[in-house]
Amino acid sequence: MIDPFGREVSYLRVSVTDRCDFRCVYCMSENMTFLPKADVLSLEELDRLCSAFVRKGVKKLRITGGEPLVRRNIMSLFRNLSRLLKSGDLKELTLTTNGSQLPKYASELVDCGVKRINVSMDSLDADKFHELTRWGDLGKVQKGIRAARDAGLAIKINVVALRNFNDDEIEPLIRWCGDMGYDMTLIETMPLGDIGDRVEQYLPLSEVRERLEETFTFTDLDYKSGGPARYVEVKETGRKLGFITPLTHNFCEGCNRVRLTCTGTLYMCLGQDDAADLRKPLRASEADQVLDAAIDEAISRKPKGHDFVIDRDHSGPALARHMNVTGG
Ligand code: SAM
Ligand code: SF4
């Protein structure tokens, strides 16, 4: 699949549910209205959609959400998708999770061919973590991370940088990841969904990096994980540190991915509203021709990029939908 700007689309992120057992302040409002269950695709339908994308050239699949591991029977989707790894059509099957359900599922994920996962954890302080996630329990998440490590999964910790909240914890988090043997990625908060004033929480990573370089020695790496992060190696810990900077450094020129929601809506760009409905063509016919044509048409509309801005003149959401719809 090649888009109008010559970029090859080889990475599909799938939000399997918009629901979550946390309510992170930058992601959701406290009283979210979730999709009616009737609108959500079955796991068999999601499998059929993912398989269509793999047939058309997707090599990497990331399961996300909402919290993917709270969807009932989610392991049956991983089990089915693992056949695409076995056949060699898919190179990587992976997951972004808040970690709360990992004690239950870590070994099964490994059985399904998952080799590395991203776990979101923005603070090492239990009270702050609870404040940030509203409903989360840091102890449980850390138990989940340990279970994942013990099961043999490589772990990357995602940290959203938030001004006056965890800016003083970034250095301890880098050291903690170093001690535990995890890579880490810092993420700028993106203006998706109405959650109140984002200007207060927005912390440009250019500023964070400058400050970190007073303490740590960074070497730029060519390494690409398939996502938008740019990586450095931290000499003092020997681990990788990624920077996802949609605001301070737009990374759209190398974009290789599209995002599918649990209702079968395909977003060709995280930062634009244009989308394609794949549920209708999926259900229109048992054969895949109609679906394949709809996917081709969607890819032909992939836009050049996003244009997020957060400042006093742009303090509201750039897009109405929250991050849990498209999964980040
Ligand atoms: N629930 C899972 C988790 O938290 O890892 C997967 C879905 S979550 C939407 C995916 C990632 O997006 C998480 O690392 C989260 O911190 C990040 N995220 C959520 N809202 C964001 C926002 N407005 N700006 C930047 N990152 C955001
Ligand atoms: Fe849930 Fe992940 Fe959003 Fe937090 S960031 S509310 S864990 S979907």
Side-chain angles (χ1 to χ4, degrees):
M1 292 181 285
I2 309 283
D3 82 356
F5 303 93
R7 297 169 298 191
E8 188 177 350
V9 177
S10 57
Y11 181 7
L12 177 69
R13 304 176 63 115
V14 188
S15 173
V16 294
T17 177
D18 64 333
R19 288 164 198 256
C20 186
D21 52 344
F22 292 3
R23 291 287 180 281
C24 301
V25 294
Y26 50 74
C27 178
M28 294 193 189
S29 62
E30 187 151 22
N31 303 309
M32 292 287 286
T33 310
F34 293 106
L35 291 162
K37 291 221 164 86
D39 286 357
V40 175
L41 297 183
S42 69
L43 292 172
E44 291 72 23
E45 287 176 315
L46 282 170
D47 176 47
R48 199 178 140 207
L49 272 175
C50 291
S51 306
F53 275 94
V54 171
R55 204 172 51 241
K56 294 185 81 50
V58 159
K59 296 284 175 231
K60 175 171 172 175
L61 265 181
R62 178 175 298 276
I63 306 300
T64 175
E67 175 45 42
L69 298 183
V70 300
R71 175 138 185 194
R72 191 177 313 160
N73 209 14
I74 186 64
M75 282 303 138
S76 70
L77 180 65
F78 278 96
R79 267 216 188 274
N80 282 338
L81 293 173
S82 70
R83 80 185 184 284
L84 300 169
L85 284 174
K86 282 189 197 119
S87 67
D89 295 315
L90 183 65
K91 294 277 173 278
E92 184 170 29
L93 176 60
T94 184
L95 167 77
T96 300
T97 173
N98 67 23
S100 68
Q101 309 299 312
L102 282 173
K104 195 157 132 202
Y105 291 130
S107 327
E108 221 177 327
L109 286 166
V110 172
D111 286 348
C112 294
V114 176
K115 294 209 160 29
R116 51 178 193 147
I117 60 171
N118 291 355
V119 186
S120 306
M121 194 188 70
D122 303 315
S123 174
L124 285 166
D125 176 306
D127 293 334
K128 271 185 158 184
F129 185 83
H130 184 71
E131 191 187 328
L132 184 80
T133 56
R134 292 190 181 109
W135 298 0
D137 174 345
L138 182 66
K140 252 186 166 173
V141 168
Q142 293 199 331
K143 196 169 157 212
I145 296 174
R146 276 197 302 277
R149 187 181 64 174
D150 294 347
L153 289 163
I155 293 159
K156 191 168 67 151
I157 303 292
N158 277 356
V159 178
V160 177
L162 299 162
R163 188 182 293 286
N164 298 330
F165 190 82
N166 65 0
D167 25 7
D168 59 336
E169 282 205 74
I170 294 176
E171 202 182 304
L173 276 160
I174 293 175
R175 292 194 194 284
W176 182 81
C177 285
D179 292 345
M180 304 303 286
Y182 309 145
D183 291 335
M184 176 171 145
T185 295
L186 286 164
I187 307 174
E188 282 174 350
T189 174
M190 294 174 232
L192 266 68
D194 193 1
I195 51 102
D197 189 355
R198 272 188 207 274
V199 178
E200 294 299 321
Q201 61 175 215
Y202 171 52
L203 177 59
L205 288 184
S206 46
E207 188 183 316
V208 174
R209 182 170 173 159
E210 225 168 83
R211 211 182 60 222
L212 289 174
E213 279 181 307
E214 289 168 14
T215 310
F216 295 108
T217 320
F218 292 162
T219 310
D220 285 313
L221 297 176
D222 277 338
Y223 172 80
K224 277 268 157 212
S225 65
R230 284 172 302 142
Y231 286 92
V232 298
E233 190 191 64
V234 184
K235 188 170 162 222
E236 289 73 8
T237 66
R239 304 300 315 182
K240 287 194 218 30
L241 175 66
F243 293 86
I244 299 189
T245 55
L247 284 300
T248 53
H249 179 272
N250 181 315
F251 41 65
C252 301
E253 73 278 1
C255 183
N256 60 349
R257 71 211 75 113
V258 287
R259 294 172 164 84
L260 185 67
T261 74
C262 60
T263 56
T265 302
L266 187 75
Y267 284 93
M268 286 72 83
C269 172
L270 178 63
Q272 303 283 354
D273 272 328
D274 187 31
D277 172 27
L278 297 183
R279 184 171 55 182
K280 214 164 153 201
L282 176 81
R283 290 180 175 170
S285 153
E286 299 251 304
D288 285 323
Q289 278 134 318
V290 185
L291 177 61
D292 285 5
I295 294 174
D296 289 342
E297 194 279 328
I299 300 297
S300 77
R301 281 196 275 136
K302 185 166 161 61
K304 194 162 180 198
H306 66 72
D307 28 46
F308 291 141
V309 182
I310 298 181
D311 59 24
R312 293 264 157 232
D313 297 332
H314 304 84
S315 59
L319 300 170
R321 66 173 193 275
H322 289 83
M323 190 66 110
N324 63 313
V325 174
T326 37

